[in-house]
Amino acid sequence: MNVPCVRVSTDEGEATRRALADRDLVDQSYEITVHEGTLYIPVTDASAVEDEYEVVSFDVESRETQTMPADILGFEPTYERLGDVVILDEDDAERASRIADAIAESDLRAETVVNRASKVKGELRVRDWDILVDDTDEELSADDQRLSAPSTETVHREYGCEFLLDIAEVYFSPRLATERHRVVQQVTEDERVFDMFAGVGPFVIPMAKRGAEVVGCDLNAAAVEYLRENVRRNGVEERVTARQGDVRDVADDYEGWADRIVMNLPHSADDFLDTAVRLAGEECVLHYYDIQHEDDPFGPGIEAIREAAEPQYDVRVDTERVVRSYAPHEYNVCVDVTLTAR
C-alpha cells in the first residue's frame, strides 16, 4: 500500500528512525522497507515531519499491529511520552487510572505512568505528580518496594541527543522539541551562546554539538547536575560550562560575551531583559519566549526588549513565531531579535 514515508539512506536509517520515533511519528502499522539501498520509514503524519527529511509515497507492506491503549479503552487517550515515562493530564482520577492501566496492558513502551497533580510552580519550575504505574521495581521484594520511591527518572532522546532527567526534580517539555530544533539550526560553529534558563540542557547540548561555546545557567541545582551529566553523555564537555545560581549574579562573569542568548522562561523573561543586555556582545541574537493574549501575542515582548536594549543597541525583529497554544486565547510565542551595538 502506498503510504507517506521518510526516504533516507541506509547509513542514516537508524538515526532517522529513532528521531522520528522520539516524536511518535513512525507508523507502526506498516513495515520499514529497504529498496535498492534506500530505507523507507512509514510515518503517521507527513506534515509533522521536519523539512530536513524527504517524505515520499511508497508501497510498503502492512504489519500485524500492536495493541495500543485505544484498543483496550475504546477511545483515544491523550498522553505524552518522555523516554519510558508516559505523562497524563487528566482531572478525573478514575479516568486517569483507567488510561494508566490500559497503557500498562498495551504494547506501548512504558515503565512509569504519571498524572499531573499540579501546575508548574515556584522559581524552580517543577510540578507534583501522581504515580499511577511503576514497573521499575518489579524484581524487588514486597518490603523493598514499599521502601523504594517510584521512578520518575528517564532518558529522553531528541534529534540525536540524549537527556537524563527526573520529571519530579526539573522542568522539561517534550512538546518543544521542534521549536528547540528550529533555534539550534541557526547556530554556527564558534558562536558564543548563553542559555539563561538552561534546565537539563535541551538547547545547550545540541548547540554545543554544532560547535558553539555554550554557557548554561539555572537556579535549580538538580537541573544543573543533570545538565553536567548530559554534557558528559553527549561528549561536549570541552564546549559547555554549567553554572548554578541566579543568572543575574552569574552574568557578572560574562558581560558583553554572548553572540546568542536563549531566554526560555515565558512567564517572567521580561524581568531578566536587563541581564540579557548585559550579556550581549556587539551583535547578539536573542530568542525571547513569552506568553501573551491572542489579540497581541508579540507586541508586549518586543516593546519590553526595546525598552531594555535601546539606546545602547539597535533592535531588529527577525522572527515572530507562535510556538503553541498555552490556554484559551493565550499563546506561547517566541520573538527572535538581533541586537546591534550603536
Side-chain angles (χ1 to χ4, degrees):
M1 179 179 293
N2 284 313
V3 299
C5 296
V6 167
R7 180 165 63 187
V8 66
S9 69
T10 52
D11 290 343
E12 299 176 353
E14 177 56 19
T16 302
R17 185 201 65 78
R18 288 180 62 178
L20 294 170
D22 286 343
R23 297 186 59 211
D24 286 330
L25 288 175
V26 177
D27 192 337
Q28 303 288 350
S29 57
Y30 297 98
E31 296 286 354
I32 296 175
T33 303
V34 178
H35 180 70
E36 296 182 352
T38 301
L39 197 68
Y40 295 84
I41 306 173
V43 292
T44 56
D45 183 359
S47 65
V49 175
E50 289 296 306
D51 291 341
E52 67 187 270
Y53 299 119
E54 180 186 10
V55 180
V56 299
S57 180
F58 192 75
D59 187 9
V60 294
E61 294 184 3
S62 299
R63 62 182 295 187
E64 184 177 346
T65 58
Q66 296 177 307
T67 300
M68 299 302 287
D71 300 323
I72 299 168
L73 293 164
F75 62 88
E76 190 70 51
T78 300
Y79 55 83
E80 289 181 90
R81 291 265 302 278
L82 191 56
D84 290 323
V85 177
V86 175
I87 300 171
L88 308 181
D89 189 9
E90 296 288 339
D91 294 330
D92 186 318
E94 184 176 343
R95 177 183 166 91
S97 181
R98 284 182 60 208
I99 294 172
D101 289 343
I103 289 170
E105 293 173 29
S106 75
D107 292 324
L108 194 69
R109 187 191 80 223
E111 290 188 351
T112 306
V113 183
V114 300
N115 191 33
R116 290 184 175 96
S118 75
K119 294 182 177 180
V120 174
K121 58 185 182 180
E123 287 186 321
L124 302 186
R125 298 184 294 164
V126 296
R127 64 168 92 232
D128 298 327
W129 303 94
D130 289 330
I131 310 297
L132 304 179
V133 172
D134 176 28
D135 289 338
T136 57
D137 293 329
E138 289 179 324
E139 298 180 2
L140 296 179
S141 69
D143 287 341
D144 286 341
Q145 286 186 27
R146 283 196 295 271
L147 294 173
S148 64
S151 176
T152 47
E153 187 176 77
T154 190
V155 175
H156 172 70
R157 294 175 178 85
E158 185 174 299
Y159 290 101
C161 298
E162 185 175 285
F163 302 99
L164 178 70
L165 60 110
D166 185 338
I167 61 172
E169 298 289 337
V170 304
Y171 174 81
F172 190 94
S173 174
R175 295 180 184 179
L176 298 178
T178 300
E179 170 61 17
R180 287 190 284 263
H181 187 62
R182 178 191 74 85
V183 172
V184 168
Q185 290 296 100
Q186 300 177 39
V187 173
T188 58
E189 192 172 359
D190 296 328
E191 274 192 11
R192 295 188 296 190
V193 184
F194 198 110
D195 187 343
M196 296 175 66
F197 316 103
V200 302
F203 282 102
V204 169
I205 286 164
M207 287 178 169
K209 279 195 165 188
R210 288 181 65 86
E213 181 183 354
V214 190
V215 175
C217 179
D218 205 283
L219 187 62
N220 185 336
V224 174
E225 286 303 306
Y226 279 111
L227 170 58
R228 289 174 177 145
E229 169 61 19
N230 292 329
V231 165
R232 184 195 65 78
R233 283 172 170 253
N234 290 276
V236 290
E237 297 96 324
E238 293 183 0
R239 292 192 293 276
V240 174
T241 301
R243 296 288 302 267
Q244 191 274 322
D246 190 314
V247 68
R248 289 167 290 200
D249 299 326
V250 174
D252 291 342
D253 297 330
Y254 296 93
E255 289 194 16
W257 179 85
D259 302 315
R260 187 179 302 271
I261 298 171
V262 179
M263 299 186 70
N264 186 20
L265 191 69
H267 285 287
S268 54
D270 56 329
D271 293 337
F272 296 85
L273 278 167
D274 290 342
T275 301
V277 171
R278 287 168 55 204
L279 292 167
E282 289 292 305
E283 183 166 285
C284 180
V285 176
L286 179 66
H287 304 283
Y288 177 86
Y289 289 87
D290 201 3
I291 291 174
Q292 292 293 343
H293 194 273
E294 63 184 5
D295 290 345
D296 187 12
F298 306 109
I302 293 170
E303 182 180 351
I305 293 168
R306 291 192 184 281
E307 183 176 338
E310 293 175 344
Q312 182 180 352
Y313 287 89
D314 289 325
V315 177
R316 184 187 75 219
V317 178
D318 300 319
T319 306
E320 298 176 351
R321 175 178 168 82
V322 174
V323 177
R324 58 175 174 167
S325 294
Y326 177 75
H329 309 295
E330 287 188 329
Y331 290 133
N332 179 192
V333 301
C334 181
V335 178
D336 299 340
V337 304
T338 297
L339 308 179
T340 305
R342 290 179 176 174

